[in-house]
Amino acid sequence: MNKIEFCPVEGGETVWFSVLEETRINGISYLLVTETEDEEEDAEVYILKDTSKDGEADALYEFVEDDGELTAVSKIFAELLEDVDLEL
């Protein structure tokens, strides 16, 4: 399982996320991530959106907070991960 380092802009603590799945919709990359490495345990998942510009060396991810976007992307991830129950 791939891991990414998430560094909040507002001076918060760095968090490591395990990437469960990724997809690209309308040219935008999305990641489904969790803080736990144990795939058997119930865990909170988050959807991150790549907001970096083309050609930038590092990806810039933000939490998806728009309800419509969150619903649409979570449905895609639910289809990709048939054996996982995602709840908003």
Side-chain angles (χ1 to χ4, degrees), residues 3-16:
K3 293 188 130 208
I4 62 166
E5 181 180 14
F6 187 79
C7 303
V9 176
E10 299 170 5
E13 237 180 85
T14 298
V15 178
W16 284 92

Side-chain angles (χ1 to χ4, degrees), residues 27-45:
I28 300 171
S29 294
Y30 292 91
L31 299 178
L32 181 68
V33 300
T34 185
E35 291 182 69
T36 183
E37 292 183 30
D38 186 358
E39 294 181 16
E40 299 300 317
E41 117 184 18
D42 285 345
E44 287 195 31
V45 296

Side-chain angles (χ1 to χ4, degrees), residues 43-87:
E44 287 195 31
V45 296
Y46 308 97
I47 296 176
L48 302 178
K49 174 182 182 176
D50 185 356
T51 60
S52 60
K53 294 179 177 48
D54 288 336
E56 289 185 338
D58 294 326
L60 299 173
Y61 286 96
E62 295 179 355
F63 288 100
V64 174
E65 295 180 358
D66 177 76
D67 288 338
E69 183 179 20
L70 187 61
T71 300
V73 176
S74 65
K75 286 180 183 179
I76 302 279
F77 281 126
E79 288 177 18
L80 292 171
L81 300 167
E82 295 173 352
D83 59 334
V84 176
D85 184 27
L86 295 178
E87 294 180 23

